[in-house]
Amino acid sequence: MPYDCNKRLASLMESSLIYECGPSCRCSSSCTNRVSQHGIQFQLEIFMTKLKGWGVRARSFIPSRSFVCAYLGEVRNNRHCESRPDFDDYILKIGVGKGFIDASRCGNIGRFINHSCSPNLIVKDVTNDHSDKNLPYKVLFAVKDIPAGRELSYDYKSSKRNYFRFGIIFATVDHRIAIV
């Protein structure tokens, strides 16, 4: 099981792919292996940061290894980004050659979570028996206890397979990601 009895990740170091129970399982909807399917369980707030534009902060304490939110948006193929003039920063790669999640036009609170070189969140791939195994959900989990009021962040370049841009990616002095 990827989760413990408190519905938190059993280990942050396990595989990046998590298999959750789905409609074909005989377990109940309260099964501890359906964590991301219950939606956001902590109070989060979108706010204007001093240096990085919009950001997200915790309004309540988030324990380490807890599910925070999914990264949602439109699933696009790689060709779409070449033809789109307003291609912007709300992009998360699904997998090699599988396209990306574009949250620029529609998405959820996850698209406002900023980069940090010392993140408090990690991205994991989650799938279940009713979803396409080639298109896993991108889900954010706490890597440490996060106190109320703390800005949420993840490392945009922690894994080349998770993030997608044309050009070279580097972190700027203020820890934003710049693309050249």
Side-chain angles (χ1 to χ4, degrees):
M1 282 282 235
Y3 304 111
D4 64 17
C5 62
N6 295 316
K7 298 185 177 182
R8 296 186 197 142
L9 281 175
S11 169
L12 290 170
M13 306 313 280
E14 294 287 322
S15 166
S16 67
L17 181 61
I18 297 170
Y19 290 96
E20 288 191 353
C21 292
S24 299
C25 294
R26 294 183 179 158
C27 60
S28 71
S29 62
S30 63
C31 172
T32 58
N33 197 32
R34 293 177 181 261
V35 171
S36 71
Q37 298 169 46
H38 295 292
I40 297 171
Q41 302 295 308
F42 299 99
Q43 293 179 349
L44 306 176
E45 175 183 43
I46 298 171
F47 73 106
M48 182 57 72
T49 68
K50 290 181 180 177
L51 299 173
K52 299 184 273 185
W54 294 109
V56 178
R57 64 180 158 216
R59 297 221 29 197
S60 59
F61 174 77
I62 301 173
S64 178
R65 302 183 336 267
S66 295
F67 164 75
V68 175
C69 70
Y71 190 95
L72 302 176
E74 298 175 282
V75 175
R76 303 285 189 179
N77 63 37
N78 292 341
R79 288 171 292 190
H80 181 76
C81 64
E82 295 171 353
S83 64
R84 196 171 129 197
D86 63 336
F87 194 67
D88 61 20
D89 295 331
Y90 301 110
I91 303 298
L92 190 67
K93 188 174 180 182
I94 295 171
V96 176
K98 296 177 183 164
F100 56 94
I101 299 170
D102 177 357
S104 59
R105 294 185 186 151
C106 69
N108 67 343
I109 197 167
R111 68 180 166 171
F112 297 109
I113 298 174
N114 285 313
H115 164 77
S116 173
C117 294
S118 300
N120 50 22
L121 302 176
I122 189 170
V123 178
K124 296 280 189 177
D125 294 335
V126 175
T127 188
N128 57 52
D129 66 354
H130 77 282
S131 63
D132 184 343
K133 307 291 186 276
N134 293 316
L135 295 173
Y137 296 99
K138 295 296 184 175
V139 176
L140 296 152
F141 289 91
V143 294
K144 52 185 142 188
D145 289 343
I146 303 171
R150 179 77 39 93
E151 182 177 0
L152 303 180
S153 62
Y154 63 101
D155 186 351
Y156 288 3
K157 60 186 184 123
S158 64
S159 173
K160 290 180 183 176
R161 65 179 182 74
N162 281 339
Y163 306 99
F164 178 85
R165 281 303 226 163
F166 283 107
I168 300 168
I169 300 175
F170 64 93
T172 62
V173 174
D174 66 354
H175 298 287
R176 295 232 20 166
I177 295 297
I179 311 302
V180 294

